[in-house]
Amino acid sequence: MAIRCVASRKTLAGLKETSSRLLGFRGVQTFTLPDLPYDYGALEPAISGEIMQIHHQKHHQAYVTNYNNALEQLDQAVNKGDASTVVKLQSAIKFNGGGHVNHSIFWKNLAPVQEGGGEPPKGSLGSAIDTHFGSPEGLVKKMSAEGAAVQGSGWVWLGLDKELKKLVVDTTANQDPLVTKGGSLVPLVGIDVWEHAYYLQYKNVRPEYLKNVWKVINWKYASEVYEKECN
Amino acid sequence: MYDATRLPKSRAIHKSQNTDSTGVCSPHLSLKLELQFKRMAASSAVTANYVLKPPPYALDALEPHMSKQTLEFHWGKHHRAYVENLKKQVLGTELEGKPLEHIIHSTYNNGELLPAFNNAAQAWNHEFFWESMKPGGGGKPSGELLALLERDFTSYEKFYEEFNAAAATQFGAGWAWLAYANDKLKVVKTPNAVNPLVLGSFPLLTIDVWEHAYYLDFQNRRPDYIKTFMTNLVSWEAVSARLEAAKAASSSSS
C-alpha cells in the first residue's frame, strides 16, 4: 500500500525533511516546494514582495513540478532498460533539479534586516573572507562584478573548496549547481542573476539589484554551513 | 562549382580561413565564403551596422499584446546597450568598421565565443526580432510560405507545435527560429545570443525568449507570451520576404 507522510510545512528544517514524500510502492521520491522562513514582503525594499512571491510560487514551484515529472519518467525508463531515454532526460533533470537545489539554498541565503539580513559575516567565515578577499567589501565587489557579467541566465556564488580549504567566487550558467564547477565546492552564498530574480523591480539594471541584495544576505546561515564543512 | 545549397557549418568555415593567434579571422576570408555569408545576412534584410534602428512601428503599436513599456525597455535599453557596447568593444581592434555579419561570424569562433559575440549577435537578433512582428500580425500565413510549411512540417498546426515547443523549452535565455537551409524549412532553438547565421542556415522568423522579452507583460508565463506572439504579432509578410531572399541567395550562387 502507498504510504504517505505529510512533512511539516512550517519550518525550513532541511531539504530532505521538508521536501520528500513517498508515493506508490515503487518509492519514487517526490519533492515539494519548501516554505520561506519569512513573508514575501519581508525583504523590501531590497527585493520586492511581488518578485518574492512570483519567484517562489511560480518559478521555484515549476522547477519542483518539472523535476518530479522528469524523475518519474527516469524511473520508468530505468525500469524498462531504455538507455537512450535515460540519457535524453539528463538535461531536464539537471535543469529542473538544479533549479530546485539552487533556489532552496537561495531562500536560506536571504533574511529580513530584522533577522540579521545584511549583517556582515563574523567568526571563522569572517576571518576567511578577510584572508581571501581583503575585506567583506572586497568580496562583495568581486561577486557583484562577476554576477553582472554573467551573460544570459545564471548564478554567482561564494563557495568553499573543501579540498583546497579556500573560499572561491564563481558563476554557473542557467540552473547548474555550483558543484558542476568542481566536485569539492560547497555553496555558501548564491545570488540568482536570472532576469526573473530582479526584472519587475530593477528592469535592465542588474548592477543596481546586485548593489541592493547584499542588504538582505543572511551571513549567519553562510557561517553555519562554513563551520560545519570545516569540521 | 560552388554549391550554395550545401551551406558549410561554422567548423568547415574556420578550417579554411586564416586566423590570427587570438582566433579572430584575418581579413582574408575566402571571397566565396564572405559572399555567401553576406547573402545569408542580406536575406533577412537586417542591415544593422552598429546602428540602433527603431522598430518599423511606434513603441505602443503592438499593444495590448506587447506593451509600450516592454518596447521602451527592450528596445530602448537592452537593444541600445548591445549596440553601444559593441561599438566600444570593437573600437581600436581589427573588428572596427567591419560589417556586423562579419563580426558575428568571426567572434562565434566555432562555438568558442570571443568577447564581442554577445553584443554583435544580440544587436543583429533584436533588429531581426522587431521586424518579425507587426501591429495586427499573427494568424496563419498564406501562399508559398504556407505551402512550404505544410510540405516540411505536414501542416501549419504541426509547425506551430514545433515552434511553440522550441520556444517553451529553450532553457534559460535564448531564441526560437524558423530557418531555411538546403531547400528545407526547420525550427531551431538557440541559447543566449546564438543565431542560425552561425549554424549555417537562413533565419526567417524569431521569437526572443530571454525573460526580459516578456517578464513585464507575462511574468513567468512564457507559454502565454509565445501564444500571443503567434496569434497577434508575427509578420508573415516579413517571413515570406526573407524566404524569397533566402531562396534567391541559395540559387544565385550555383
Side-chain angles (χ1 to χ4, degrees):
Chain A
M1 282 313 271
I3 300 165
R4 264 195 207 179
C5 18
V6 179
S8 159
R9 290 173 64 79
K10 293 277 182 203
T11 59
L12 200 57
L15 206 58
K16 219 172 175 193
E17 290 89 296
T18 56
S19 63
S20 60
R21 196 159 50 105
L22 286 171
L23 206 98
F25 28 77
R26 243 185 229 152
V28 177
Q29 188 160 54
T30 61
F31 293 86
T32 56
L33 183 68
D35 284 338
L36 296 193
Y38 38 78
D39 290 337
Y40 290 130
L43 303 182
E44 294 199 346
I47 307 178
S48 73
E50 186 187 22
I51 287 181
M52 288 304 294
Q53 182 165 6
I54 297 173
H55 202 172
H56 180 247
Q57 284 183 358
K58 304 290 181 184
H59 290 277
H60 189 173
Q61 178 64 69
Y63 290 125
V64 169
T65 303
N66 294 333
Y67 185 37
N68 286 334
N69 289 340
L71 288 176
E72 170 103 35
Q73 290 174 58
L74 178 69
D75 187 60
Q76 288 169 20
V78 166
N79 287 329
K80 277 195 278 183
D82 182 354
S84 64
T85 300
V86 168
V87 172
K88 198 172 111 172
L89 285 166
Q90 296 310 306
S91 69
I93 287 169
K94 183 179 178 185
F95 184 68
N96 293 296
H100 175 48
V101 166
N102 292 340
H103 285 86
S104 299
I105 295 169
F106 188 49
W107 309 135
K108 296 190 243 192
N109 283 154
L110 301 169
V113 169
Q114 307 91 285
E115 284 159 46
E119 266 173 35
K122 302 183 183 65
S124 54
L125 177 58
S127 311
I129 287 172
D130 288 341
T131 303
H132 292 292
F133 303 100
S135 63
E137 292 74 29
L139 170 63
V140 164
K141 192 166 168 207
K142 185 174 169 72
M143 281 183 77
S144 297
E146 295 208 16
V150 169
Q151 279 168 14
S153 310
W155 294 73
V156 60
W157 302 93
L158 171 67
L160 166 67
D161 188 323
K162 277 196 294 191
E163 237 168 83
L164 301 179
K165 300 213 186 318
K166 56 180 246 190
L167 295 176
V168 297
V169 168
D170 208 342
T171 60
T172 56
N174 298 330
Q175 291 301 347
D176 295 356
L178 181 60
V179 74
T180 59
K181 287 306 250 324
S184 56
L185 293 176
V186 176
L188 301 176
V189 177
I191 298 176
D192 191 348
V193 293
W194 279 63
E195 286 170 330
H196 67 238
Y198 60 88
Y199 207 81
L200 293 178
Q201 185 176 358
Y202 294 96
K203 311 294 192 298
N204 59 303
V205 196
R206 193 194 286 175
E208 197 61 23
Y209 158 66
L210 287 167
K211 203 169 108 187
N212 283 284
V213 75
W214 297 104
K215 299 173 186 168
V216 288
I217 289 294
N218 182 4
W219 287 107
K220 277 193 271 187
Y221 170 73
S223 287
E224 280 164 27
V225 177
Y226 180 77
E227 278 157 27
K228 188 164 144 231
E229 292 295 336
C230 285
N231 296 332
Chain B
M1 195 70 204
Y2 182 65
D3 178 7
T5 59
R6 280 184 53 247
L7 292 166
K9 301 290 174 208
S10 284
R11 204 178 297 275
I13 290 174
H14 274 275
K15 274 193 185 135
S16 61
Q17 283 166 343
N18 303 317
T19 55
D20 62 25
S21 57
T22 64
V24 174
C25 302
S26 77
H28 309 295
L29 269 181
S30 94
L31 185 60
K32 274 182 192 164
L33 287 165
E34 179 146 9
L35 208 58
Q36 181 242 322
F37 198 73
K38 269 194 163 65
R39 285 198 199 101
M40 285 205 291
S43 77
S44 44
V46 169
T47 54
N49 239 339
Y50 328 1
V51 167
L52 180 68
K53 198 173 158 195
Y57 37 76
L59 296 187
D60 63 355
L62 301 181
E63 296 232 353
H65 314 294
M66 185 176 282
S67 67
K68 179 183 180 193
Q69 194 194 26
T70 290
L71 266 294
E72 281 172 342
F73 280 100
H74 198 177
W75 173 78
K77 307 278 183 184
H78 291 273
H79 185 178
R80 186 185 304 276
Y82 290 127
V83 172
E84 293 305 312
N85 290 337
L86 174 66
K87 283 195 259 192
K88 288 183 209 155
Q89 214 166 15
V90 302
L91 196 62
T93 73
E94 247 191 21
L95 298 172
E96 190 182 349
K98 293 282 184 297
L100 186 60
E101 304 80 22
H102 177 107
I103 298 181
I104 292 169
H105 173 62
S106 305
T107 56
Y108 180 69
N109 192 32
N110 200 25
E112 297 295 317
L113 310 181
L114 299 176
F117 178 76
N118 191 58
N119 288 319
Q122 286 290 80
W124 193 96
N125 295 341
H126 281 86
E127 190 174 310
F128 190 81
F129 177 54
W130 308 129
E131 292 172 358
S132 295
M133 296 187 286
K134 66 168 203 177
K140 249 170 110 153
S142 56
E144 191 185 3
L145 178 56
L146 178 62
L148 282 184
L149 285 171
E150 287 171 341
R151 184 196 71 181
D152 293 335
F153 295 94
T154 70
S155 68
Y156 170 76
E157 287 69 31
K158 279 268 177 240
F159 152 71
Y160 182 109
E161 214 179 281
E162 213 176 299
F163 188 80
N164 183 54
T169 61
Q170 176 50 44
F171 288 160
W175 304 76
W177 308 81
L178 174 65
Y180 175 83
N182 303 326
D183 190 35
K184 221 171 145 12
L185 295 179
K186 56 179 179 170
V187 165
V188 175
K189 62 182 181 181
T190 58
N192 296 346
V194 178
N195 63 32
L197 292 176
V198 301
L199 302 175
S201 48
F202 294 80
L204 301 180
L205 170 66
T206 195
I207 180 173
D208 187 349
V209 292
W210 282 63
E211 286 176 326
H212 64 238
Y214 59 90
Y215 217 81
L216 297 178
D217 295 338
F218 295 93
Q219 294 79 62
N220 61 301
R221 294 170 288 119
R222 195 195 284 188
D224 288 348
Y225 160 64
I226 299 165
K227 184 166 176 205
T228 299
F229 176 84
M230 294 304 285
T231 309
N232 301 109
L233 292 171
V234 173
S235 169
W236 290 117
E237 287 84 0
V239 179
S240 293
R242 290 158 176 174
L243 175 62
E244 286 318 299
K247 285 161 75 186
S250 289
S251 58
S252 72
S253 26
S254 55

